[in-house]
Amino acid sequence: MSLSLVLLLSSMGLLLTGLVGIMAKKHLLRIALAFTLASTGVNILLVWTGYLAGRKAPIIDASIEEIATVAVVDPVPQALVLTSIVIGVAVSALLVVVAVLTSRELGTADVRRMRNLKW
Amino acid sequence: MILLSALGHVLLLIGAIFLCISGLGILRMPDVWNRMHAGTKATTLGSIAFMLGLGLIRPEWLPKLLVIALFIVLTNPVSSHALARAVHGVPEEKPDNLQRDDLQEADS
Amino acid sequence: MRTFIAFLLALYLVFFAAAAFESFGEPQGLGRIAEHYAAEGFEEVGAINLVTAVVVTYRGLDTLGEVSVLFTAASAVILLLSVFPLGKPANKPSSIVLLTMKVLPGPILLFGGYIIAHGHLTPGGGFPGGAVVASAALLVLLGCTQEVGFAKWLTFAESMAGFSFAMLGFWGLLKLGQFLNNSVLFLGIPGQLLSAGIIPLISAAIGVKVASELSGILVAYRCGGGKE
């Protein structure tokens, strides 16, 4: 079982768990938690797209300076994930605030009992 | 050398077992206090075992890993303590079979 | 039953995504752009850490956009919490938290500054370093009961960091005709702390911006949007 497969399977598992949680859970904070799980899965999926077996992290030192193109993994998805993790923190903070304020306004955090949003 | 590496792998296994038990405890425990107990104490021990195990397998990483372990020792109990204090202020989370509450006057 | 239907739907979506990714096949090597970064990036920008080189210079315009996404989320949190405040913290901080608040923020700030300053040499840079600095702010906020002193400087620091990021970009545009050109400052010897052109400066700007935005979110959580 290669590391690439482990990355792919764990990302798919996290994505699956997160999507099921978003669709099936009733408490607003659990939905927010499931959302962060799904976004972690997407981050691992992005890292997987740039992973090449047996290569090193994209830091060029003296030992791999000449053979850099065959010795390092793809730096572009890693740069994307680096920014996306921090943005994910801010977005989940926003989600938690919306969940808390909604549950306070409606008196419940249970999505089944939020009748006044139905049409 | 081999012996140190084997000891490191054993420590990694112990850390993994503790983290697994901690996750199980968060899923299975009945109320906030028990869940917090499972989620903080076992993860502290599990993380430290992980750091020591990795440090024994790769001795050149040992100083950095010890610094990380020191930070975990300093921060993890404090954060769980602050969390427990915050939960203690919520009346709905008070367990039914509570006999004695030394923090009662601190909250009011 | 509801969970089962949701599971089937999610399985369908994930299977769809997995099939799409499977059709790419196992990647055999770097793509054309990544190959250019790996082969030429070392000479072009003088940074050892290619990830920071990509974040800060090659795709620096995208990073400017991502930082503004972060800014939008943070200002939405602060706006919501200043209109509907969460209320004051219930109980006083205990002596354990107060002691930790006096001891730990110094080392944490030092570590965050180290991560930001060495962004072009080791894994790190503005985004993780800024998050570490914001965790020191979280520790200070845990131990406080009233308004904190640094809260009113956060907006100033945040806007100055964003402004200097854009200005560093325009410096390259004016001097060499290219936005965020890294050669406006001396590149130096790769591997030293003072090298790699404007990458350390932009890392510092991103670090200050991320730290002030995340601490602004935390201040809003704790004190209900800052101004009463």
Side-chain angles (χ1 to χ4, degrees):
Chain A
M1 197 166 177
S2 64
L3 187 56
S4 172
L5 194 62
V6 173
L7 276 180
L8 185 61
L9 284 182
S10 59
S11 79
M12 287 301 166
L14 278 173
L15 201 56
L16 195 66
T17 318
L19 283 175
V20 169
I22 288 172
M23 286 189 274
K25 289 291 174 189
K26 289 130 196 160
H27 196 280
L28 277 179
L29 282 177
R30 285 173 191 266
I31 294 177
L33 203 62
F35 180 83
T36 58
L37 276 184
S39 79
T40 309
V42 172
N43 285 341
I44 296 179
L45 190 65
L46 280 175
V47 170
W48 173 78
T49 58
Y51 179 75
L52 294 162
R55 296 198 181 190
K56 287 183 170 179
I59 294 178
I60 312 278
D61 54 14
S63 63
I64 56 169
E65 192 182 338
E66 301 301 321
I67 50 164
T69 52
V70 292
V72 298
V73 299
D74 196 344
V76 183
Q78 300 204 3
L80 196 61
V81 168
L82 184 67
T83 55
S84 118
I85 290 173
V86 177
I87 290 172
V89 171
V91 169
S92 47
L94 181 60
L95 264 176
V96 169
V97 167
V98 170
V100 168
L101 292 180
T102 311
S103 59
R104 179 192 290 176
E105 186 71 23
L106 301 178
T108 172
D110 192 340
V111 286
R112 285 170 303 178
R113 291 167 65 191
M114 294 179 179
R115 297 280 181 210
N116 50 356
L117 288 178
K118 279 192 174 177
W119 66 84
Chain B
M1 211 58 221
I2 297 272
L3 198 67
L4 276 186
S5 173
L7 193 61
H9 281 97
V10 170
L11 276 174
L12 282 189
L13 188 66
I14 292 174
I17 289 172
F18 266 98
L19 289 177
C20 190
I21 290 174
S22 143
L24 204 66
I26 288 180
L27 274 180
R28 296 290 301 168
M29 285 292 181
D31 65 355
V32 176
W33 310 96
N34 285 322
R35 279 201 295 271
M36 190 177 291
H37 191 95
T40 52
K41 280 193 177 173
T43 49
T44 311
L45 185 56
S47 315
I48 293 170
F50 247 87
M51 299 297 162
L52 284 181
L54 267 181
L56 289 183
I57 294 171
R58 291 286 187 96
E60 68 269 21
W61 293 353
L62 192 59
K64 282 185 186 179
L65 290 166
L66 283 181
V67 171
I68 297 174
L70 178 70
F71 265 95
I72 289 175
V73 168
L74 284 178
T75 54
N76 213 342
V78 173
S79 63
S80 59
H81 165 80
L83 256 178
R85 292 275 300 211
V87 177
H88 188 266
V90 181
E92 291 88 15
E93 293 296 344
K94 195 154 284 187
D96 301 326
N97 52 356
L98 188 65
Q99 300 287 328
R100 173 182 165 159
D101 193 359
D102 282 338
L103 266 178
Q104 200 143 34
E105 66 268 22
D107 273 345
S108 53
Chain C
M1 190 62 207
R2 175 206 291 262
T3 314
F4 186 65
I5 294 174
F7 180 74
L8 285 185
L9 265 174
L11 197 63
Y12 172 70
L13 284 174
V14 169
F15 184 75
F16 197 64
F21 272 104
E22 196 58 42
S23 70
F24 290 172
E26 192 82 8
Q28 294 304 317
L30 298 178
R32 206 155 52 86
I33 300 172
E35 197 168 336
H36 175 83
Y37 292 160
E40 312 288 336
F42 192 57
E43 276 88 32
E44 273 182 7
V45 299
I48 290 182
N49 184 357
L50 287 180
V51 176
T52 308
V54 171
V55 168
V56 168
T57 57
Y58 285 120
R59 303 248 52 90
L61 200 60
D62 298 0
T63 306
L64 201 55
E66 277 158 353
V67 165
S68 49
V69 171
L70 189 62
F71 172 69
T72 314
S75 42
V77 170
I78 294 172
L79 176 73
L80 273 175
L81 285 181
S82 59
V83 177
F84 310 101
L86 287 179
K88 289 291 164 202
N91 42 14
K92 287 195 187 67
S94 67
S95 52
I96 298 175
V97 174
L98 283 177
L99 180 67
T100 316
M101 169 201 157
K102 285 185 191 114
V103 175
L104 268 185
I108 294 178
L109 278 180
L110 189 68
F111 183 54
Y114 170 83
I115 292 179
I116 293 174
H118 287 247
H120 53 296
L121 301 178
T122 56
F127 281 93
V132 171
V133 172
S135 73
L138 168 65
L139 204 53
V140 173
L141 282 169
L142 264 186
C144 78
T145 45
Q146 69 272 16
E147 199 92 348
V148 279
F150 65 84
K152 58 178 176 291
W153 293 100
L154 286 179
T155 325
F156 178 72
E158 195 274 324
S159 44
M160 281 315 290
F163 180 71
S164 52
F165 190 174
M167 282 303 117
L168 284 168
F170 278 118
W171 189 16
L173 188 65
L174 290 179
K175 196 170 167 189
L176 296 168
Q178 193 184 10
F179 192 75
L180 275 173
N181 192 313
N182 196 36
S183 310
V184 290
L185 272 178
F186 71 104
L187 287 185
I189 305 158
Q192 288 188 344
L193 186 56
L194 288 177
S195 65
I198 56 173
I199 286 181
L201 293 177
I202 298 179
S203 275
I206 294 174
V208 170
K209 203 166 160 60
V210 169
S212 54
E213 274 157 3
L214 292 183
S215 335
I217 291 177
L218 297 170
V219 170
Y221 268 41
R222 182 76 179 177
C223 310
K227 297 171 192 66
E228 301 286 317

